[in-house]
Amino acid sequence: MEHHHAIFDRHTVRLHRDRAATTLDSVSAVLEEAADRLIERLDDLTRPFTLALDIGGRGATASSLQMRGIEVVSSDLSPRMARHVRDRTGTLTVCADEEFLPFAENSFDLVIASLSLHWINDLPGALLQIRKILKPDGLFLASMPVLPTLAPLRAGFEEAELALSGGVSPHVSPFPTLRDCASLLQRAGFALPVVDADVMDIRYRSGLALFRDLRAAGETNALSLRDRRIPDPALFPTALEGLAEKCGDTEGILSLPLHLAVMSAWAPAPTQPKPLAPGQFTTSLRDVLGSPD
């Protein structure tokens, strides 16, 4: 299917991840911390999981799942990244587009996506596919960046470009809000959706260090409407000056926290608890609040 109004250039996303397959070691600490925070949610559950699909985890997610005794199938848009994950973790790995998942319905009892959904154009469609490949009462766990992640960098580029050329082109991806994520889960037909906020405190000694990490992780600009011309030589230095003014401390350290939406939801099943309809409650809230206990 052709996306006539695609936000992201998926070919460029794949090329960025191809390149990142050789540079992930420099950002592995961030990826592994994000994966660990997400997978820790499994420790609160009593039910076992036997077969999981790891979507775009870049190796960090699959390793943590294997340590819990869960068999893992990994997928990635990039063939080089898929080979990297296979060689690193030994998991069965598939090169697949997240927008067209090649798995049968009711295949997995767990699907997990750590920092891998924010480059998808048809996110509602991808979530619907994920729900369908889950077995009844299967669990979907995901984390993705939300606002105000990289807001100072976005503002720095906008101000620099306005000053230099009088116009603005996009350099930083648009991110959803927590409310957007909750609405997407409900729209896809998941049961018992929950969205929590989490923040990873990340600091850099310079803006160039931030750019190096984004490139190493395959997270550089892949917006369809990005300006493909060679930028003004002063653009990046001016944008970095603005970034330092907005989030730098007296020693020049830049604070750029990664704001995450942590999503959990279940594939519908007859055994799941159902909310009561209005008027079906048997206990009055007034009685509960008025009780001395």
Side-chain angles (χ1 to χ4, degrees):
M1 180 183 299
E2 183 179 355
H3 292 282
H4 295 284
H5 303 287
I7 299 173
F8 304 112
D9 180 344
R10 296 283 290 170
H11 176 67
T12 300
V13 173
R14 180 181 66 79
L15 293 178
H16 287 173
R17 292 179 78 87
D18 278 345
R19 181 178 61 197
T22 62
T23 57
L24 279 181
D25 287 346
S26 62
V27 291
S28 60
V30 174
L31 297 176
E32 290 170 2
E33 174 68 16
D36 289 344
R37 291 189 183 199
L38 181 61
I39 296 175
E40 281 177 359
R41 305 298 175 104
L42 297 178
D43 297 336
D44 299 328
L45 304 174
T46 57
R47 62 158 293 178
F49 297 95
T50 57
L51 181 61
L53 172 63
D54 161 35
I55 299 177
R58 287 170 275 195
T61 310
S63 298
S64 295
L65 291 172
Q66 288 174 320
M67 292 175 61
R68 286 169 166 78
I70 302 173
E71 185 179 354
V72 183
V73 176
S74 295
S75 72
D76 201 280
L77 176 65
S78 156
R80 291 184 182 177
M81 187 67 74
R83 285 195 295 268
H84 169 81
V85 174
R86 180 198 62 191
D87 295 342
R88 176 181 174 182
T89 65
T91 62
L92 173 63
T93 308
V94 179
C95 180
D97 191 331
E98 301 94 341
E99 297 185 355
F100 306 99
L101 294 172
F103 304 104
E105 294 186 13
N106 304 327
S107 296
F108 303 94
D109 50 16
L110 173 64
V111 174
I112 191 162
S114 178
L115 298 181
S116 61
L117 299 180
H118 55 289
W119 292 113
I120 296 177
N121 284 309
D122 184 14
L123 189 51
L127 292 176
L128 180 60
Q129 293 180 68
I130 290 171
R131 180 178 66 76
K132 289 184 176 180
I133 65 177
L134 279 168
K135 296 177 181 178
D137 204 32
L139 176 63
F140 171 56
L141 271 181
S143 63
M144 65 182 300
V146 293
L147 293 174
T149 297
L150 294 182
L153 181 61
R154 179 183 290 104
F157 270 117
E158 291 175 352
E159 293 170 5
E161 220 165 15
L162 279 172
L164 294 170
S165 63
V168 173
S169 60
H171 292 272
V172 179
S173 295
F175 295 122
T177 64
L178 288 175
R179 180 176 295 181
D180 294 332
C181 294
S183 299
L184 287 169
L185 292 176
Q186 292 174 335
R187 179 178 174 182
F190 282 101
L192 309 173
V194 177
V195 179
D196 297 324
D198 196 4
V199 180
M200 293 178 59
D201 184 20
I202 303 177
R203 299 170 185 268
Y204 289 96
R205 294 187 179 278
S206 68
L208 288 177
L210 167 64
F211 287 164
R212 283 194 294 267
D213 273 11
L214 291 174
R215 181 183 176 90
E219 298 289 337
T220 46
N221 190 0
L223 290 163
S224 296
L225 296 179
R226 69 191 185 279
D227 191 343
R228 289 166 169 78
R229 296 172 298 180
I230 297 175
D232 188 312
L235 174 61
F236 283 87
T238 306
L240 290 179
E241 289 178 6
L243 178 65
E245 292 175 359
K246 289 175 174 58
C247 57
D249 61 16
T250 56
E251 297 179 355
I253 304 298
L254 307 181
S255 178
L256 289 158
L258 175 58
H259 296 263
L260 297 174
V262 180
M263 300 176 281
S264 64
W266 299 83
T271 56
Q272 291 169 343
K274 301 286 191 301
L276 294 174
Q280 289 185 319
F281 297 97
T282 58
T283 303
S284 168
L285 181 61
R286 178 181 298 175
D287 294 342
V288 173
L289 296 179
S291 170
D293 295 332

